[in-house]
Amino acid sequence: MFLFRILALAFSTVVAASPSLSSLVLHEHRARAPPGFTSKGRVSDGHILTLRFGLASNGIAGLQDRLLSISTPGSHDFRQWLSQDEVKTFMAPSADTINTFNSFASANGLEPSIISPYGDWLSVSLPASKANELFGATYTNFTHADLPAPITRTLSISLPAELAGHVEVIHPSTAFNAPIARRAPLSSVYKHQRDATAPTDCDTSDPNNNITPACLQSLYNIPTTPATQRENTLLVTGYVDEWAEVDDFQAFLTQFRPDLPSNQTFVTTLLDGGSNPQGPDIAGVEASLDVQYAAGIASGVPLQFLSVGGNNSDFPTSVLDTTTFLASEAQLPTVVTTSYGLDEELWGASLATKVCDAFGAISARGVSFLFSSGDGGVSGNHDDGVNCGLFVAVFPASCPWVTTVGSTIGFNPEVAVNFTGGGFSSIFPAPRYQTSAISNFLKTIPPSFPGNGKFNATNRAYPDLSLQGMNFLINFRGKIGQVLGTSASTPSIAGMVALINDRLIAQGKPVLGFLNPFLYANEGAFNDVVSGHNSGLVCPASSVAFDAVPGWDPLSGLGTPNFPDLLAAALA
């Protein structure tokens, strides 16, 4: 999983004390720039900023109640997914919010543009001097050794009092564009690895063994029968110049899924200046892994690759724009898989909440979102051998409206691998589909546990489920190599979900949509993982972290899925 290396963002919601800002309400504040960033001084007064304003939706609580109802087995409206127009009735701002913002904009000579289908996101371009004046900000240029160009941010942002309660987010403001930690193979030199088909070849507790699609099919009883429903699409997201090479994709399927058509490919969609050039030596490891295992498991399901932004793009903006793009689509994919994220503390509560709400709104239309849980164990993106046992959550993995995937290693028994991200959100309360599972887990933690007090036990916890995540063979730039990570597990789970949707559609039934209430109601469809310690890949095993236990835990979730049992539950 890609993670972005940043530390703490602090928040406050108090009235600004400065006499010059007496009409402003402090919205978000950061004590200092994150480590590695250097201030290069205020931007010039005439520098034009483009700010995004997230307006309060008129019925988000009602939409979330409706989503929980239609996704919970046994409810009267189970899987009666909403239409695009029905979702809009909840997500659109109230007339009062629209009028209040428009009056503020008109009074200050601003010309907002609507940039979301619900009208809850607006874009405004204005000089930096005016942004500083209106919002009590100090927009500044910051540099980082790992970023090719300066970025413009402020350490504090306030709202005019009349906008409080109407504007939920101003972006960019205190969120920093993080340096990117690129995925690397287990070996810096790619070499041909032997194929793995028999279960004994797939036991990655032996580092000489590998995982292939055949391994996953054998371990989890996944069928190889091709899908038949063409309207059932699986979308793989790609960020930060991670490109998927068609030649590598087809070579992978030729070697590891020779039963599928040799000319199978994927449809590429570009967003925010994204691209997907083809040619030698430009493919990305992450993108290669994601498309190859999504297709390798979802036999014949139509595949789409969404390439968003560029290497220096603002990742939160890229994710936000992904949600507005999907919300605008009349025909949605049934499954979306994402292998990227960054620490919650970098996003901040307001932006993370608004983006999470957007995932919920799209889920209500019958889309399953899957996110990898991260590869830093319990420490988020700080698994460096020094900063250990931090209990840092990762977003969007921590959003309660997405399904988060961890990783296992070996079998008989499967063990939660040490790098699998897992823990408790510092932002989102525990959703009701998860409260019982969390309660049972907390009973296993002794009062003497050194991590007590480092996480909020009343909040959303993750992952929700897990899958093998070690020594996956991929075709990368024409060679076979190994990779690891929860982003190997996630597209593989996405492929399983897409196959179940294929069977549901074939029988005239609604697709799975938002998965979590269904998953937690069918714990018997999972292989329980009862061993593991997510201290991190680099941090020592002696570091304080969570341990896997019988039932749900914040390493393996509910465990690993058994396809026939999950399919039977879905068809019931």
Side-chain angles (χ1 to χ4, degrees):
M1 178 185 185
F2 273 126
L3 287 167
F4 301 74
R5 302 189 182 278
I6 296 293
L7 286 170
L9 180 64
F11 300 94
S12 178
T13 54
V14 299
V15 176
S18 168
S20 63
L21 301 180
S22 59
S23 64
L24 296 179
V25 177
L26 184 61
H27 186 59
E28 290 183 313
H29 171 74
R30 178 188 289 276
R32 62 189 61 84
F37 283 92
T38 301
S39 171
K40 293 300 181 181
R42 293 176 57 144
V43 300
S44 63
D45 286 349
H47 179 78
I48 300 300
L49 298 174
T50 298
L51 302 181
R52 296 171 183 235
F53 294 82
L55 304 186
S57 297
N58 80 91
I60 192 64
L63 176 62
Q64 291 169 355
D65 285 343
R66 184 76 176 274
L67 175 55
L68 286 172
S69 178
I70 60 180
S71 59
T72 299
S75 66
H76 70 281
D77 53 357
F78 182 49
R79 290 196 187 136
Q80 294 180 21
W81 306 116
L82 305 184
S83 69
Q84 189 176 29
D85 287 340
E86 287 174 318
V87 170
K88 186 175 182 177
T89 64
F90 292 100
M91 291 296 289
S94 68
D96 183 39
T97 290
I98 294 171
N99 291 336
T100 298
F101 189 85
N102 284 343
S103 295
F104 168 81
S106 177
N108 290 282
L110 306 179
E111 298 181 1
S113 300
I114 297 173
I115 57 172
S116 69
Y118 311 132
D120 60 333
W121 279 99
L122 305 176
S123 176
V124 174
S125 295
L126 72 170
S129 59
K130 193 158 197 172
N132 291 337
E133 175 189 357
L134 292 176
F135 305 110
T138 305
Y139 276 96
T140 300
N141 284 323
F142 292 90
T143 59
H144 192 287
D146 294 330
L147 290 178
I151 61 171
T152 302
R153 297 294 187 270
T154 178
L155 299 183
S156 181
I157 193 82
S158 298
L159 290 175
E162 65 267 33
L163 296 183
H166 298 290
V167 171
E168 295 178 329
V169 185
I170 300 178
H171 180 72
S173 56
T174 56
F176 275 65
N177 181 25
I180 297 159
R182 290 194 173 274
R183 168 171 302 287
L186 288 182
S187 171
S188 60
V189 178
Y190 275 89
K191 57 183 178 181
H192 182 76
Q193 304 284 341
R194 66 185 178 89
D195 199 348
T197 54
T200 53
D201 298 334
C202 308
D203 184 357
T204 51
S205 60
D206 179 345
N208 294 311
N209 288 337
N210 310 296
I211 292 291
T212 66
C215 291
L216 301 178
Q217 289 159 350
S218 175
L219 291 172
Y220 304 117
N221 301 303
I222 305 169
T224 60
T225 308
T228 61
Q229 307 301 307
R230 304 309 297 169
E231 68 270 31
N232 175 38
T233 303
L234 195 170
L235 184 145
V236 175
T237 59
Y239 301 98
V240 296
D241 283 352
E242 276 288 311
W243 300 322
E245 171 65 48
V246 173
D247 287 348
D248 289 349
F249 175 82
Q250 293 179 339
F252 173 85
L253 293 180
T254 296
Q255 179 170 352
F256 297 113
R257 286 302 308 271
D259 54 315
L260 297 178
S262 59
N263 62 347
Q264 181 174 333
T265 189
F266 50 85
V267 174
T268 298
T269 301
L270 307 179
L271 183 65
D272 285 357
S275 61
N276 194 43
Q278 301 295 295
D281 301 328
I282 57 175
V285 175
E286 187 64 70
S288 300
L289 169 64
D290 290 352
V291 297
Q292 288 172 21
Y293 275 85
I297 297 302
S299 305
V301 171
L303 190 66
Q304 183 180 3
F305 179 64
L306 178 66
S307 180
V308 186
N311 186 50
N312 193 36
S313 63
D314 177 359
F315 179 70
T317 298
S318 296
V319 175
L320 167 61
D321 287 352
T322 299
T323 65
T324 56
F325 164 75
L326 291 171
S328 301
E329 292 289 284
Q331 184 68 38
L332 287 167
T334 65
V335 184
V336 178
T337 179
T338 299
S339 296
Y340 306 76
L342 67 160
D343 293 341
E344 265 188 355
E345 57 203 12
L346 174 58
W347 285 80
S350 64
L351 183 57
T353 299
K354 190 69 173 173
V355 170
C356 184
D357 289 347
F359 285 125
I362 301 165
S363 296
R365 294 175 59 190
V367 177
S368 302
F369 283 100
L370 293 123
F371 279 84
S372 52
S373 70
D375 299 338
V378 77
S379 295
N381 190 44
H382 308 291
D383 178 28
D384 55 9
V386 177
N387 298 293
C388 301
L390 297 181
F391 294 86
V392 174
V394 170
F395 183 83
S398 63
C399 172
W401 311 119
V402 307
T403 301
T404 303
V405 182
S407 288
T408 60
I409 183 173
F411 56 89
N412 293 330
E414 278 189 280
V415 175
V417 71
N418 59 0
F419 62 72
T420 191
F424 290 76
S425 172
S426 61
I427 297 173
F428 303 103
R432 65 175 183 248
Y433 62 75
Q434 198 185 34
T435 52
S436 177
I438 292 174
S439 176
N440 290 335
F441 170 74
L442 292 174
K443 293 174 185 176
T444 70
I445 298 181
S448 59
F449 178 55
N452 285 336
K454 293 185 176 183
F455 60 93
N456 188 333
T458 67
N459 277 1
R460 154 73 164 156
Y462 68 95
D464 300 298
L465 72 169
S466 53
L467 200 83
Q468 292 284 313
M470 281 291 294
N471 291 15
F472 274 50
L473 294 186
I474 66 168
N475 191 300
F476 177 65
R477 300 182 181 179
K479 298 179 181 180
I480 301 299
Q482 293 174 325
V483 292
L484 60 78
T486 55
S487 56
S489 315
T490 306
S492 303
I493 290 278
M496 296 174 69
V497 174
L499 281 182
I500 293 175
N501 282 340
D502 177 77
R503 276 50 169 182
L504 287 168
I505 295 171
Q507 294 193 23
K509 297 177 181 290
V511 296
L512 289 170
F514 177 49
L515 291 167
N516 292 1
F518 165 72
L519 297 180
Y520 283 85
N522 288 281
E523 192 170 349
F526 294 86
N527 310 299
D528 197 9
V529 177
V530 300
S531 179
H533 182 75
N534 66 339
S535 52
L537 191 64
V538 179
C539 285
S542 59
S543 301
V544 61
F546 291 117
D547 292 313
V549 297
W552 178 90
D553 56 64
L555 292 81
S556 65
L558 295 165
T560 57
N562 183 40
F563 185 91
D565 291 341
L566 207 57
L567 176 62
L571 293 172

